[in-house]
Amino acid sequence: MALITYLTRIQFDFGAIKLLPDELKLAAITRPMLVTDRGVVAAGIAQRVADAMAPAPVAMFDGTPSNPTERATKAALEIYRAQGCDGLVAVGGGSAMDLAKAVALLATHAGDLAQYMAIEGGVGRITAKVAPVIAVPTTSGTGSEVGRGAVVILEDGRKLALISPYLIPRLALCDPELTLGLPPGLTAATGMDALAHCVETFLAPANNPPAEAIALDGAMRVAAHLERAVQNGQDREARWNMMMASMEGAMAFQKGLGAVHALSHPLGAIQPLNLHHGTLNAVVMPAVLRFNAGVNGIGWKYDRLRQTMALGSEVDLADHVARLNARIGLPGGLRAMGVTEAMFAQVVPHALKDHTAATNPRPLSAETVEALLREAM
């Protein structure tokens, strides 16, 4: 049995933020809270969105960390309640959007976040009462604007996922113009995040042909436009296609992800490293691609990815990703990011329990996870 759902409303094109007043009315948000981070504020993007909103935001939370935390969620929730807000507009990358989803959940559901995490049996505890969220992405990577999940670091240090169709934003307002000033390094890291979503979704064993078709289209767009976007941030065609690829990756990954994310989630929870999720995905992806290549019957999928990404039939997909990482300026391994072998003991058990591990094409064990980490060093 295949459960296939695409439920979100999307406005997509240059200048889309001009539609915010009408979209706020459709979402029945009369007292919006804007959730963002200080980088987006410093770039002037948060103010551009706020100026386009009517009604204007009655509150703003700009303390979103690079990896959203339960502590920051509670701080934003306090402001949301104090100002009598009835909905959220998330402006930023995946962190701001995920934090807004967590606030929307706790604003309408009692208790702490842990009980709502997927691996704690929380999926069924999340109801339609979740406050409405409008998501305005300013990067092209996570696709959280159309995703049903949010990844948050809990107070106990675990980096876990909230998953529910009720967490899908009421609107994904995708305006590629907001990404024109994105620095090359962040363009590269978020772009590889989008590629990881497309590749892992396509390789995941679940039966969802529409998701696979969307994932292939996203992978094609990343292959054709990521390097252009990194080299010239004002390339409007490249920015449009990268935002589309990012959205497609998240539309597709409800089919399932895999070991790339199972590794990157606990790696991203290591303190005080606070590593970027997209960069982690890029760095561990070659090792995972080699690991999964030996699965019986998966060869045709590797062939299809090569074809879609305009690579020769003789090209090793894992080597191609590693070379792409180097060309766009990403680290050559986890060691360059500050990860040490001593940290493996912290990462391995959480990787095995991560919700994405179950949909990897090849089963994971403590031994194989450690081997993947060593290869990615």
Side-chain angles (χ1 to χ4, degrees), residues 156-193:
D156 62 14
R158 293 180 297 164
K159 188 173 184 179
L160 302 179
L162 301 162
I163 299 176
S164 169
Y166 299 120
L167 293 176
I168 300 174
R170 300 287 179 90
L171 170 72
L173 198 151
C174 302
D175 188 338
E177 192 162 345
L178 300 181
T179 70
L180 292 178
L182 201 65
L186 194 54
T187 299
T190 54
M192 290 303 292
D193 192 17

Side-chain angles (χ1 to χ4, degrees), residues 43-276:
I45 296 174
Q47 190 60 51
R48 286 173 61 187
V49 175
D51 290 344
M53 292 168 61
V58 297
M60 177 187 290
F61 179 78
D62 66 359
T64 305
S66 56
N67 286 294
T69 63
E70 183 177 10
R71 181 172 301 177
T73 300
K74 290 179 177 178
L77 177 65
E78 186 175 342
I79 297 171
Y80 181 93
R81 287 174 169 165
Q83 297 300 319
C85 298
D86 59 4
L88 303 101
V89 177
V91 182
S95 295
M97 291 185 277
D98 283 6
L99 189 136
K101 292 177 186 180
V103 173
L105 171 64
L106 290 187
T108 52
H109 292 65
D112 291 331
L113 280 176
Q115 66 183 303
Y116 299 106
M117 292 299 174
I119 69 166
E120 300 291 348
V123 176
R125 300 185 184 118
I126 300 175
T127 73
K129 294 179 181 179
V130 173
V133 175
I134 290 177
V136 184
T138 62
T139 65
S140 297
T142 69
S144 188
E145 67 272 11
V146 295
R148 59 179 177 169
V151 180
V152 182
I153 299 176
L154 298 180
E155 297 283 19
D156 62 14
R158 293 180 297 164
K159 188 173 184 179
L160 302 179
L162 301 162
I163 299 176
S164 169
Y166 299 120
L167 293 176
I168 300 174
R170 300 287 179 90
L171 170 72
L173 198 151
C174 302
D175 188 338
E177 192 162 345
L178 300 181
T179 70
L180 292 178
L182 201 65
L186 194 54
T187 299
T190 54
M192 290 303 292
D193 192 17
L195 181 62
H197 294 158
C198 294
V199 169
E200 285 216 292
T201 287
F202 184 65
L203 296 178
N207 180 25
N208 191 329
E212 292 187 359
I214 294 169
L216 286 173
D217 190 79
M220 176 193 68
R221 293 178 191 277
V222 175
H225 295 96
L226 175 55
E227 290 185 80
R228 283 176 52 181
V230 171
Q231 292 164 4
N232 177 12
Q234 299 299 313
D235 186 328
R236 292 172 70 87
E237 181 184 14
R239 290 298 193 186
W240 192 98
N241 278 280
M242 286 306 303
M243 182 163 277
M244 179 60 71
S246 172
M247 186 187 74
E248 287 180 316
M251 288 175 70
F253 70 44
Q254 62 174 300
K255 174 177 180 266
L257 291 166
V260 171
H261 283 76
L263 294 175
S264 67
H265 287 155
L267 284 165
I270 296 174
Q271 297 299 326
L273 294 182
N274 205 28
L275 300 173
H276 185 269

